[in-house]
Amino acid sequence: MSTTDGFLANAERYAAGFGKGDLPLPPAKGAAVVACMDARLNPYGLLGLSEGDAHVIRNAGGVVTADVRRSLAISQRLLGTREIVLVHHTDCGMLTFTDDGFKAAVQDEVGLKPDWSAEAFTDLDQDVRQSIGRIKADPFIPHTGAVRGFVYEVETGRLREVKPR
Amino acid sequence: MSTTDGFLANAERYAAGFGKGDLPLPPAKGAAVVACMDARLNPYGLLGLSEGDAHVIRNAGGVVTADVRRSLAISQRLLGTREIVLVHHTDCGMLTFTDDGFKAAVQDEVGLKPDWSAEAFTDLDQDVRQSIGRIKADPFIPHTGAVRGFVYEVETGRLREVKPR
């Protein structure tokens, strides 16, 4: 059985016990979470999220890219969220390579150079601050007064806040 | 108390009960999930995901953008995933506006036009197929033999597969 088929079996169990068919579209807690895609980082367990609570936006690194800024603009403008919570984490894959190195490796294999930056980083706390800065600098995200950034420690399960400099 | 402070209190409880400090970086189930950021869609509950299982990539719409293709390339090339599971959902906010309309509304208010497309869509199943197509057409995502797309029904909790035409 493929992993996807296993997911489908789980989804049937989820539907069988489902009792939340009347939740509204806007997130109940008025927040958007931006986190790394890492498999060890479970925003639902970590932050205590339930269905209907918050938007969850995730990509490789939890980096604030144009797509994240698009998602946050939609989240705030159309669906009323006001707080933003950024979550990076220790032992992140993005710390293990460079943008140039990744591009070169792909080009060696595929013959084409990616038309995007891999968005690698070398310092976790600094990249959290970078991500906060990108949000605050964005003219299309209206509410940037409640943006906080964190590092999740995959070794201990703890969440540590990154303070602005 | 802000929502973010409430999340932090939950995170302390999570850390107190944490027993998964030795999970490896590569996802145990070899899969990446690409889903909409919608608050009602909980991929952990729905697909039965636990810490360490799968990459989870999310944005407004679950649309396959350049950032999602970047994340999938990193997921497969550096962290060994092979299956891709796309999840859109009923009652999606992306069905309620158009790219042009959203841009015009933002420009009216901010005075600047966003330099990104909002990625709205009018037909759920068609956008799932569009997303599968974008992945298969991408030269930088090496493994596209196991890409399947689904619509999650927020009213019933059910997951329905979208078959290729």
Side-chain angles (χ1 to χ4, degrees):
Chain A
M1 189 162 78
S2 71
T3 286
T4 305
D5 285 327
F7 287 165
L8 292 183
N10 294 338
E12 287 194 20
R13 276 191 287 276
Y14 181 79
F18 187 73
K20 297 177 171 177
D22 56 354
L23 294 172
L25 210 168
K29 294 195 181 295
V33 176
V34 179
C36 182
M37 70 179 180
D38 192 275
R40 297 162 296 177
L41 168 51
N42 169 0
Y44 290 79
L46 177 64
L47 305 177
L49 294 178
S50 291
E51 285 81 350
D53 280 350
H55 285 144
V56 182
I57 301 162
R58 304 181 68 175
N59 66 15
V63 175
V64 173
T65 57
D67 196 44
V68 171
R69 293 184 286 107
R70 172 185 73 88
S71 298
L72 288 172
I74 291 170
S75 174
Q76 292 197 346
R77 290 179 173 278
L78 300 182
L79 296 163
T81 66
R82 292 295 177 264
E83 296 182 44
I84 299 175
V85 177
L86 304 173
V87 187
H88 284 40
H89 64 93
T90 55
D91 195 39
C92 186
M94 307 299 286
L95 295 159
T96 65
F97 60 90
T98 65
D99 290 353
D100 284 351
F102 187 77
K103 271 195 187 187
V106 171
Q107 186 168 10
D108 277 355
E109 187 188 316
V110 181
L112 293 168
K113 193 161 74 171
D115 54 343
W116 34 258
S117 163
E119 295 283 352
F121 45 80
T122 56
D123 183 300
L124 264 180
D125 286 31
Q126 198 175 316
D127 200 73
V128 171
R129 287 191 198 97
Q130 178 72 216
S131 293
I132 293 172
R134 284 184 180 181
I135 289 171
K136 289 186 182 281
D138 191 286
F140 307 116
I141 302 172
H143 307 283
T144 60
V147 185
R148 290 165 66 184
F150 300 87
V151 170
Y152 171 68
E153 298 177 351
V154 298
E155 303 83 3
T156 65
R158 286 208 186 85
L159 193 64
R160 170 174 67 74
E161 184 153 14
V162 176
K163 294 295 183 183
R165 278 201 196 282
Chain B
M1 189 161 78
S2 71
T3 287
T4 305
D5 286 327
F7 288 165
L8 292 183
N10 294 338
E12 286 193 21
R13 277 192 287 277
Y14 182 78
F18 187 72
K20 295 177 173 176
D22 57 354
L23 293 172
L25 211 166
K29 295 197 182 292
V33 176
V34 179
C36 182
M37 70 180 180
D38 192 275
R40 296 162 296 177
L41 168 52
N42 169 1
Y44 290 79
L46 177 64
L47 305 176
L49 294 179
S50 291
E51 285 83 348
D53 280 350
H55 285 145
V56 182
I57 301 162
R58 304 181 68 175
N59 65 17
V63 175
V64 174
T65 58
D67 197 44
V68 170
R69 292 184 285 107
R70 172 187 74 88
S71 298
L72 288 172
I74 291 170
S75 174
Q76 293 197 346
R77 289 179 173 277
L78 300 182
L79 295 163
T81 66
R82 293 294 177 265
E83 297 182 43
I84 298 174
V85 178
L86 303 173
V87 187
H88 284 37
H89 64 93
T90 55
D91 195 37
C92 187
M94 309 298 287
L95 294 160
T96 64
F97 59 91
T98 65
D99 290 352
D100 284 350
F102 188 77
K103 272 196 187 186
V106 171
Q107 185 169 9
D108 277 354
E109 187 188 317
V110 180
L112 293 168
K113 193 162 73 170
D115 54 343
W116 34 258
S117 163
E119 297 282 352
F121 44 81
T122 55
D123 183 300
L124 265 180
D125 286 32
Q126 197 175 316
D127 199 73
V128 171
R129 288 190 198 98
Q130 177 72 215
S131 293
I132 294 172
R134 283 185 181 182
I135 290 171
K136 290 187 182 282
D138 191 286
F140 307 117
I141 301 171
H143 308 282
T144 59
V147 184
R148 291 165 67 182
F150 301 87
V151 170
Y152 171 67
E153 298 176 352
V154 298
E155 302 83 3
T156 65
R158 287 209 186 84
L159 192 65
R160 170 174 67 75
E161 183 152 17
V162 176
K163 295 293 185 184
R165 277 201 197 282

